[in-house]
Amino acid sequence: MSTAAGPAGDLPAEVALPAGVPPAVPATADEHICVDFPRDEAGADAGEDGSGDDEQRRDRRRSLLGGQLQSNATSQVALVGTDFCPIESLDYELIENDVFKQDWRAQGRGHILRYLALKWALCFLVGALTAAAAFVANLGVENVAGAKFVVTSNRMFARRFESAFLVFLFSNLLLTMFATVLTVYVAPAAAGSGIPEVKAYLNGVDAPNVFCFKTLVVKVVGCIAAVSSSLHVGKAGPLVHTGACIASILGQGGSRKYRMTCKWLRHFKNDRDRRDLVTCGAGAGIAGAFRAPVAGVLFALETVSSRWRSALLWRAFFTTAVVAVVLRALIDICKRGRCGLFGKGGLIMFDVTSGYVNYHVIDLPPVITLAVFGGVLGSLYNFFLDKVLRLYNIINEKGRTYRLLLAATVSICTSCCLFGLPWLAACKPCPADSREACPSIGRSGNFKKFQCPMHNYNDLASLFFNTNDDTIRNLYSNGTDHEFHITSILVFFIASYFLGIFSYGLALPSGLFVPVILTGAAYGRLVGMLIGSQSTLDHGLFAVLGSAALLGGSMRMTVSVCVVILELTNNLLMLPLVMLVLIISKTVADAFNANVYDLLVKLKGFPFLEGHAEPYMRQLSVTDVVTGPLQTFSGIEKVGRIVDILKATGHNGFPVVDEPPFSDTPLLYGLVLRSHLLVLLRKKEFLNSCTSSASDASKHFSPDDFAKRGSGKHDRIEDIELTAEELEMFVDLHPFTNTSPYTVVETMSLAKALILFREVGLRHLLVLPKTSKRAPVVGILTRHDFMPEHVLGLHPYLFKSRWKKVRFGKTAFSNFF
């Protein structure tokens, strides 16, 4: 028995080279597959010489675009940003071989202290730099969007309506195209929110350029342009990706490509330490977006992280605390009037509904009604978003020109809606007790004059002609029950609901968090106006609860969203109502479909390992999912054979088996990684004969030689040049082989193996025979072997017993729509 082709570059070493067949060199990736990831690292999926790789990648892309589950589709390709890219798994297992053991024995107390100090220092740097990025993003959006709205309002005040529309339209189009061009031509991985990519990475899936320096720059600059362009997108998701990028770059010692490296940072040599740092960076992103440090920690725990430890909790909390302190210092500078329009509003400074909140039993029925319908609307939001994204993927697949045209079309339609819909609203007289000037002329404000006469304002224009942050602040504010007409709120809710769906998925940095909060605030206001007469609650409080309801219905986050709402509004008295709304809305929405981030991860094609095993997996043993002949190396192997196998396959783990005369019987010595073999070939420390090396390997190699490179960066076997004489020599693999890989017996159930694989964070899991009379290893389990499409493709009779949640998805959604 043997192993199946693994996902994303984890294809175990099982492919035998047919006699007389020369090693196959992988072909160049086609136009729409990222070429940054070496093809030999992604490996072949089924063909013995890798010749079926291109066709299976096309099958995978077709399955992702069409939304069909293809049983034999490879797990090696996923949609990263806007491009289909080869992916591979990360290895969170610590390697134990002679070289690393010698290094550990040489480490003293001072080394351990430096290691711990560096962890905390990097957490501090991640927090400080993420806070700076969040500040720059808010500063840019407030000033760019604010200047645009001021110029448009001034022309409206002068009754130059056509000129105002053209300024509004072309400024939005220019900003949108700038963000799109930057993303499409510089860093396609920066498109979208980045949260699905971060979530997949923390689950153990790596992709090229997800955390590189150019992705970081494009993410920040593109986010400012996209949010300022009046598209219904947010900056919370991009800031999560930004924090993860900063953490990853620091964890790998900087960027050599841009000559931004520091030797003292190059200490994290494994995926485990970098995973922890990226987790802290993701939490710091949420903390920077909402100035909510506790919510940032809970978001990382509840949403993106697949593994959590108490030590990581403490470091994540420290990181988000640094974010809060740095942001407070930067905001104090802006309050002195040194940051232009910044400081007049924004999520980063919410302090609304901070008065005393008094509610009674009579308020519960309206709140429960709001929560129930919020869950339904949230699940519908996910349903429509899934359909729109599948359509966008088909358009984006056609090439860069189509991506630009799609972004331009959505931008023009959005501008027309935002400028045209306020003409439907009637003018309202300015409130006598207004806390700010009404109407707002020549500056940012919440009372837009638009086409109205003096001392009047257009309530719908006040919602559309503001940044998302200012609009949310206006909807959340208490004592504003009479500032908006019910028809204006209804129009704004419908427009915001669908503009948020159609704006996400473009080839530019964009988030979902803020648009959902904004749409939920309008929904809450609408419910408050419709049934608020039966309640004592303020309409602003209904807006806050509406945001919680839609967030719970779409994203299904409970604890972290609850803390976000509380930290945004600075009002702990709302806790019981927010908890009630979140619990009800999430429960209702779970009956229809999955949360939005799980849908995005699945839509992008990431081989994500769930935290549970489906019941049908208990009917299978691990040998039921491994296929093909197993390829192994001897403890002392010929260089030419190693080169041939590395060129012909893309597998990243090879069992090392000792045979006579080095052992009495065939014996599994351990597992050697592809990356380590490439180091051995590059260093050329070979033996002239097939005998054990008498020299100490640590004298010729150091642990730094085998240190993990940055995310998505790999050596290639084609780049190593060897002479014919060197190919006939031998290499001793014993000092470089992991002598304690995780193993399971062949009779173990697939469900039990999945839990072990996921919880430990493995890349390879060796399958051993039940009896000693057989070969010492019968196969290798990789991430691909646990994917439902692979398992059900091998055993289609289990499809009917596939575990499903109790949902009404097919009946209520698919059949109806």
Side-chain angles (χ1 to χ4, degrees):
M1 301 296 296
S2 163
T3 77
D10 288 333
L11 309 172
E14 75 276 18
V15 178
L17 294 176
V21 177
V25 179
T28 305
D30 64 21
E31 178 185 359
H32 299 292
I33 294 183
C34 298
V35 296
D36 305 80
F37 225 35
R39 284 287 303 277
D40 61 327
E41 287 299 324
D45 188 42
E48 288 193 352
D49 59 355
S51 60
D53 187 49
D54 284 339
E55 183 61 32
Q56 289 170 9
R57 290 189 184 203
R58 295 189 190 99
D59 290 343
R60 177 65 169 171
R61 289 159 56 194
R62 283 194 293 265
S63 68
L64 293 177
L65 292 173
Q68 301 298 323
L69 178 67
Q70 296 194 7
S71 59
N72 294 322
T74 174
S75 304
Q76 302 170 31
V77 180
L79 187 61
V80 181
T82 58
D83 283 348
F84 286 97
C85 299
I87 54 177
E88 70 167 18
S89 288
L90 299 168
D91 195 348
Y92 297 137
E93 178 188 2
L94 294 179
I95 303 299
E96 294 182 350
N97 57 33
D98 292 347
V99 175
F100 284 97
K101 287 179 181 178
Q102 181 66 24
D103 180 60
W104 294 336
R105 285 191 290 266
Q107 294 177 4
R109 184 178 180 182
H111 184 277
I112 297 175
L113 291 177
R114 286 195 300 272
Y115 174 72
L116 294 176
L118 180 60
K119 277 190 173 183
W120 289 101
L122 287 180
C123 287
F124 176 83
L125 287 176
V126 169
L129 293 176
T130 304
F135 177 77
V136 169
N138 279 276
L139 183 69
V141 171
E142 290 286 329
N143 282 280
V144 174
K148 177 189 66 179
F149 287 128
V150 166
V151 172
T152 304
S153 298
N154 288 341
R155 292 179 180 270
M156 292 293 293
F157 179 74
R159 315 296 291 180
R160 298 167 60 187
F161 300 132
E162 296 83 0
S163 175
F165 172 67
L166 293 177
V167 168
F168 185 69
L169 174 67
F170 284 106
S171 59
N172 287 340
L173 182 60
L174 179 64
L175 290 168
T176 300
M177 297 312 296
F178 172 74
T180 306
V181 169
L182 200 62
T183 303
V184 169
Y185 289 96
V186 179
S193 68
I195 292 180
E197 286 80 1
V198 174
K199 187 173 182 177
Y201 178 86
L202 296 179
N203 189 257
V205 180
D206 193 16
N209 296 327
V210 171
F211 298 131
C212 68
F213 182 75
K214 65 179 180 181
T215 300
L216 170 63
V217 174
V218 172
K219 201 74 177 185
V220 176
V221 177
C223 174
I224 294 174
V227 177
S228 302
S229 68
S230 293
L231 291 175
H232 270 54
V233 297
K235 53 184 179 287
L239 283 177
V240 171
H241 193 183
T242 298
C245 285
I246 293 173
S248 179
I249 292 172
L250 291 177
Q252 67 191 35
S255 175
R256 292 184 180 180
K257 180 178 181 181
Y258 298 97
R259 298 181 181 179
M260 300 174 62
T261 59
C262 189
K263 289 186 177 181
W264 68 273
L265 287 177
R266 301 176 196 168
H267 203 88
F268 289 173
K269 305 172 185 177
N270 56 74
D271 291 327
R272 183 189 296 258
D273 289 330
R274 294 177 184 175
R275 172 195 64 187
D276 292 349
L277 201 59
V278 169
T279 303
C280 294
I286 287 293
F290 301 115
R291 209 185 73 191
V294 178
V297 176
L298 295 175
F299 173 82
L301 169 63
E302 184 179 10
T303 304
V304 297
S305 179
S306 295
R307 300 166 191 86
W308 198 263
R309 310 188 315 277
S310 58
L312 180 58
L313 175 67
W314 176 219
R315 285 200 296 272
F317 182 72
F318 172 75
T319 306
T320 58
V322 171
V323 173
V325 172
V326 173
L327 278 179
R328 171 51 64 186
L330 294 173
I331 289 172
D332 287 341
I333 295 176
C334 283
K335 286 185 175 179
R336 302 170 191 169
R338 300 180 181 178
C339 299
L341 295 171
F342 184 76
K344 303 301 181 182
L347 282 174
I348 207 171
M349 297 185 212
F350 268 10
D351 186 14
V352 297
T353 64
S354 56
Y356 180 72
V357 177
N358 188 22
Y359 47 87
H360 308 279
V361 176
I362 193 176
D363 299 318
L364 292 182
V367 171
I368 293 174
T369 302
L370 178 144
V372 171
F373 285 99
V376 174
L377 288 171
S379 59
L380 272 172
Y381 192 92
N382 295 354
F383 175 82
F384 289 131
L385 183 65
D386 180 74
K387 299 303 180 184
V388 170
L389 289 180
R390 292 186 187 278
L391 174 62
Y392 283 3
N393 288 344
I394 295 174
I395 297 174
N396 290 334
E397 174 72 3
K398 296 181 182 296
R400 293 173 174 175
T401 303
Y402 285 86
R403 299 174 190 178
L404 298 178
L405 290 175
L406 177 62
T409 302
V410 174
S411 175
I412 293 172
C413 293
T414 300
S415 298
C416 292
C417 288
L418 299 185
F419 194 91
L421 290 176
W423 292 89
L424 303 177
C427 297
K428 293 175 66 70
C430 291
D433 56 347
S434 174
R435 287 170 287 188
E436 63 173 285
C438 178
S440 304
I441 301 175
R443 60 177 182 82
S444 62
N446 293 324
F447 294 98
K448 298 298 182 181
K449 178 177 176 292
F450 208 64
Q451 87 287 10
C452 297
M454 286 301 297
H455 307 297
N456 286 264
Y457 72 98
N458 187 313
D459 57 347
L460 192 52
S462 300
L463 297 174
F464 281 131
F465 274 72
N466 261 319
T467 62
N468 291 339
D469 298 348
D470 286 325
T471 302
I472 296 171
R473 183 183 183 89
N474 202 17
L475 290 171
Y476 276 10
S477 299
N478 57 1
T480 59
D481 289 4
H482 304 292
E483 285 189 7
F484 303 98
H485 193 273
I486 188 172
T487 56
S488 298
I489 293 294
L490 176 62
V491 171
F492 179 76
F493 165 66
I494 296 175
S496 177
Y497 190 90
F498 288 102
L499 287 177
I501 292 173
F502 285 101
S503 296
Y504 190 80
L506 302 178
L508 45 75
S510 56
L512 281 172
F513 218 106
V514 173
V516 173
I517 291 178
L518 174 62
T519 305
Y523 162 70
R525 275 267 178 176
L526 182 62
V527 173
M529 292 178 173
L530 292 174
I531 60 177
S533 59
Q534 305 175 20
S535 171
T536 62
L537 300 180
D538 183 84
H539 289 179
L541 181 55
F542 268 108
V544 175
L545 297 178
S547 293
L550 207 58
L551 284 170
S554 176
M555 301 183 178
R556 316 292 160 81
M557 296 182 294
T558 53
V559 181
S560 54
V561 166
C562 184
V563 178
V564 165
I565 295 296
L566 295 180
E567 290 188 284
L568 283 181
T569 58
N570 195 25
N571 196 328
L572 191 61
L573 295 175
M574 295 169 52
L575 178 61
L577 290 180
V578 174
M579 291 176 63
L580 177 65
V581 167
L582 285 170
I583 291 173
I584 295 175
S585 62
K586 182 184 184 303
T587 303
V588 171
D590 278 339
F592 293 97
N593 50 28
N595 72 73
V596 67
Y597 292 127
D598 284 348
L599 290 175
L600 290 175
V601 167
K602 182 179 179 181
L603 182 64
K604 286 176 172 289
F606 289 112
F608 190 87
L609 291 179
E610 298 290 348
H612 62 271
E614 299 195 16
Y616 67 81
M617 290 186 175
R618 299 200 176 275
Q619 304 177 38
L620 301 173
S621 63
V622 292
T623 53
D624 292 326
V625 297
V626 291
T627 57
L630 179 66
Q631 183 65 266
T632 63
F633 285 132
S634 299
I636 300 178
E637 188 59 77
K638 190 176 180 180
V639 174
R641 185 169 183 269
I642 295 177
V643 172
D644 289 343
I645 293 177
L646 292 183
K647 285 185 176 181
T649 70
H651 316 320
N652 284 276
F654 301 86
V656 176
V657 177
D658 275 338
E659 298 181 353
F662 301 103
S663 63
D664 296 333
T665 59
L667 177 68
L668 175 65
Y669 187 79
L671 186 78
V672 64
L673 299 181
R674 181 189 189 93
S675 59
H676 292 182
L677 291 173
L678 292 174
V679 173
L680 298 180
L681 296 176
R682 190 172 62 249
K683 297 278 283 189
K684 300 184 179 181
E685 295 291 338
F686 301 144
L687 305 174
N688 292 321
S689 60
C690 186
T691 57
S692 299
S693 175
S695 62
D696 186 1
S698 61
K699 295 181 180 179
H700 304 282
F701 298 89
S702 69
D704 290 337
D705 295 328
F706 302 96
K708 178 69 181 290
R709 298 184 63 186
S711 177
K713 299 183 177 72
H714 304 274
D715 293 324
R716 290 170 50 89
I717 182 63
E718 287 79 13
D719 298 332
I720 300 176
E721 296 182 359
L722 297 171
T723 64
E725 181 181 356
E726 290 171 335
L727 292 175
E728 296 299 322
M729 301 178 74
F730 297 86
V731 60
D732 188 355
L733 300 180
H734 291 103
F736 315 99
T737 300
N738 181 11
T739 57
S740 57
Y742 281 88
T743 61
V744 296
V745 69
E746 61 181 341
T747 55
M748 177 181 284
S749 70
L750 189 62
K752 194 173 182 179
L754 169 62
I755 299 302
L756 172 64
F757 193 94
R758 186 183 187 275
E759 292 302 320
V760 180
L762 300 179
R763 184 172 184 172
H764 307 98
L765 184 60
L766 300 184
V767 181
L768 304 185
K770 187 71 172 178
T771 63
S772 59
K773 297 181 180 180
R774 300 169 55 193
V777 57
V778 298
I780 304 178
L781 287 172
T782 64
R783 179 177 295 263
H784 173 78
D785 298 304
F786 298 103
M787 293 296 104
E789 55 265 31
H790 172 70
V791 177
L792 297 175
L794 295 175
H795 307 280
Y797 66 90
L798 293 172
F799 192 83
K800 292 184 178 180
S801 64
R802 187 182 181 192
W803 178 85
K804 295 180 180 178
K805 290 184 179 180
V806 181
R807 286 176 178 154
F808 309 105
K810 284 287 183 181
T811 302
F813 286 155
S814 299
N815 293 341
F816 181 78
F817 288 99

